Amino acid sequence: MKNSVITLGQFIIDRQEEIHDAKGAFSDIFRAIGLAAKIVNRDVRKAGLVDILGEHGSTNVQGEDVKKLDVIANTIFKNHIEQTGEVCAVISEEEDDVYWCKDSHEAKYILCMDPLDGSSNIDVNASIGTIFSLYKRRDMNRDCSLDDILRPGKEIVAAGYVIYGSSTMLVYSSGNGVNGFTLDDSIHEFCLSHPNIKIPETRKIFSVNEGNLHDFDQKIQDYIHKCKQHKLSARYIGSLIADFHRNLLKGGIYMYPATEKAPNGKLRLLYECIPMAFLIENAGGKATDGKQRILDIQPEKLHQRTPLFVGSSKMVDEIGY
Ligand code: AHM
Ligand code: MG
């Protein structure tokens, strides 16, 4: 029927049969993510009023401490996820260690997240985002441990991001295509707006912090030179979700290679690179660290970093392994 909308909640319920053993747990987790995203969205929209509400670290007019938005986003997502009772552990960019959820012995899932990536862009009103992925516990007969968490990305069951941009979108995949939902402010619902997203194979855009060019391997420098020879468009906001989202829809490559300052790259494997790699592969693209597929890397530490090359398959192939 024309003029009818499919909400994120309805979409997940319709699809969860496809996810082995997920049943209600999946819709509970996504309901929590969707709600937390709406709350963070409201706070992000208020961020420009910081002069009125008070600087971070200061006391506002009501006499309350003003917290940084990424700390607030972390608490909002963590609390809503914990309340579902379906997640036993949360790994977050904002937490040094694993956060073990209370009363979660029966919980089957593990959530990795960057609650507010690119938060240095808040002050200049550029798009920022939340990134997340879900692992399923290996064995319910023993307590959840690091062994259930430090696993290659090919074992995740779902991943997605929320982009707080000129509109707010939630994009996710549970391994069967990538779908995008735009927040309709008038009905406070994420509505299916970008079904079955496929990244174009063609070369259009390259995204990299060229200020670091002379730090990159010769192979990467040569590739960037080639992009320019072919007159590709250079686009780099410095906010992973914003750069990734644009390239996903238009075709292109995002690169964060190793540099002198960051010999293992800057981006974090578990909650930045793996979710993006899972999404791009489900959209027909590729993601590597320059040597191997991101989803094949065995993580050794929670906050491990890796170089990242992600985007249209032919472009990522040109970087080679
Ligand atoms: P953050 O997790 O501290 O926000 O850093 C990650 C961000 C990404 O969003 C972005 O792609 C990258 O850092 C930009 O880094 P640079 O400013 O070095 O180009
Ligand atoms: Mg980050």
Side-chain angles (χ1 to χ4, degrees):
M1 184 175 64
K2 265 194 174 170
N3 296 327
S4 74
V5 295
I6 300 171
T7 64
L8 175 65
Q10 189 56 48
F11 191 85
I12 301 276
I13 290 170
D14 292 348
R15 287 281 181 105
Q16 67 181 356
E17 299 293 302
E18 294 169 6
I19 303 153
H20 176 63
D21 207 16
K23 304 273 169 1
F26 226 67
S27 38
D28 284 355
I29 294 170
F30 270 87
R31 194 176 305 121
I33 291 173
L35 179 57
K38 288 180 208 171
I39 296 170
V40 171
N41 178 58
R42 183 195 63 195
D43 290 349
V44 167
R45 303 286 167 213
K46 279 198 303 201
L49 298 169
V50 75
D51 286 344
I52 299 167
L53 301 176
E55 292 288 343
H56 303 313
S58 70
T59 307
N60 70 14
V61 282
Q62 279 95 33
E64 301 153 337
D65 288 343
V66 179
K67 294 205 177 73
K68 282 182 74 183
L69 210 46
D70 34 18
V71 177
I72 295 173
N74 184 50
T75 308
I76 291 171
F77 273 96
K78 206 173 66 177
N79 289 351
H80 282 83
I81 284 295
E82 184 168 33
Q83 268 171 24
T84 65
E86 306 288 358
V87 171
C88 55
V90 175
I91 293 79
S92 165
E93 179 166 327
E94 297 298 325
E95 309 266 341
D96 290 342
D97 296 315
V98 178
Y99 176 79
W100 301 105
C101 297
K102 291 174 202 80
D103 304 324
S104 62
H105 301 292
E106 303 299 317
K108 290 188 188 140
Y109 292 94
I110 294 151
L111 182 95
C112 301
M113 67 168 177
D114 184 348
L116 209 56
D117 183 68
S119 51
S120 60
N121 282 294
I122 295 171
D123 293 347
V124 293
N125 218 347
S127 301
I128 48 180
T130 299
I131 312 171
F132 61 90
S133 65
L134 280 174
Y135 285 97
K136 196 163 177 204
R137 260 165 82 175
R138 276 190 166 134
D139 185 351
M140 294 301 289
N141 293 317
R142 53 173 175 74
D143 286 343
C144 181
S145 69
L146 269 187
D147 188 45
D148 294 280
I149 296 168
L150 295 176
R151 287 153 67 189
K154 60 187 171 199
E155 295 185 23
I156 62 174
V157 292
Y161 60 82
V162 183
I163 177 166
Y164 310 100
S166 47
S167 62
T168 300
M169 274 188 77
L170 188 151
V171 176
Y172 94 96
S173 174
S174 51
N176 186 15
V178 179
N179 291 283
F181 299 80
T182 302
L183 183 62
D184 182 334
D185 282 327
S186 64
I187 57 169
H188 304 295
E189 293 276 9
F190 282 103
C191 300
L192 182 62
S193 53
H194 296 63
N196 200 19
I197 300 171
K198 292 286 172 214
I199 183 167
E201 264 190 7
T202 48
R203 25 167 63 243
K204 263 195 179 156
I205 295 167
F206 70 105
S207 309
V208 65
N209 185 344
E210 265 199 272
N212 296 327
L213 183 73
H214 298 296
D215 275 359
F216 299 157
D217 273 2
Q218 194 56 47
K219 178 176 87 166
I220 311 296
Q221 293 193 35
D222 292 346
Y223 179 72
I224 292 170
H225 188 58
K226 206 163 117 193
C227 289
K228 292 179 178 177
Q229 278 177 333
H230 285 95
K231 298 193 188 305
L232 301 197
S233 293
R235 296 281 184 273
Y236 188 74
I237 296 173
S239 178
L240 174 62
I241 300 298
D243 285 311
F244 179 93
H245 185 69
R246 181 204 50 242
N247 293 1
L248 174 66
L249 298 182
K250 299 200 166 183
I253 186 168
Y254 171 96
M255 300 175 263
Y256 208 109
T259 64
E260 207 174 275
K261 211 170 101 192
N264 297 318
K266 177 183 182 191
L267 302 175
R268 316 292 182 131
L269 177 61
L270 269 185
Y271 42 78
E272 292 177 329
C273 299
I274 285 178
M276 296 293 110
F278 184 82
L279 286 162
I280 211 76
E281 288 200 4
N282 272 283
K286 286 190 177 172
T288 77
D289 67 353
K291 294 194 183 97
Q292 60 176 323
R293 184 181 169 227
I294 290 287
L295 296 184
D296 284 338
I297 301 174
Q298 170 63 53
E300 278 157 20
K301 291 189 292 188
L302 292 181
H303 299 289
Q304 182 171 330
R305 298 174 193 269
T306 176
L308 177 66
F309 303 91
V310 60
S312 297
S313 55
K314 282 188 179 158
M315 300 178 84
V316 176
D317 281 344
E318 281 179 61
I319 295 279
Y321 281 67

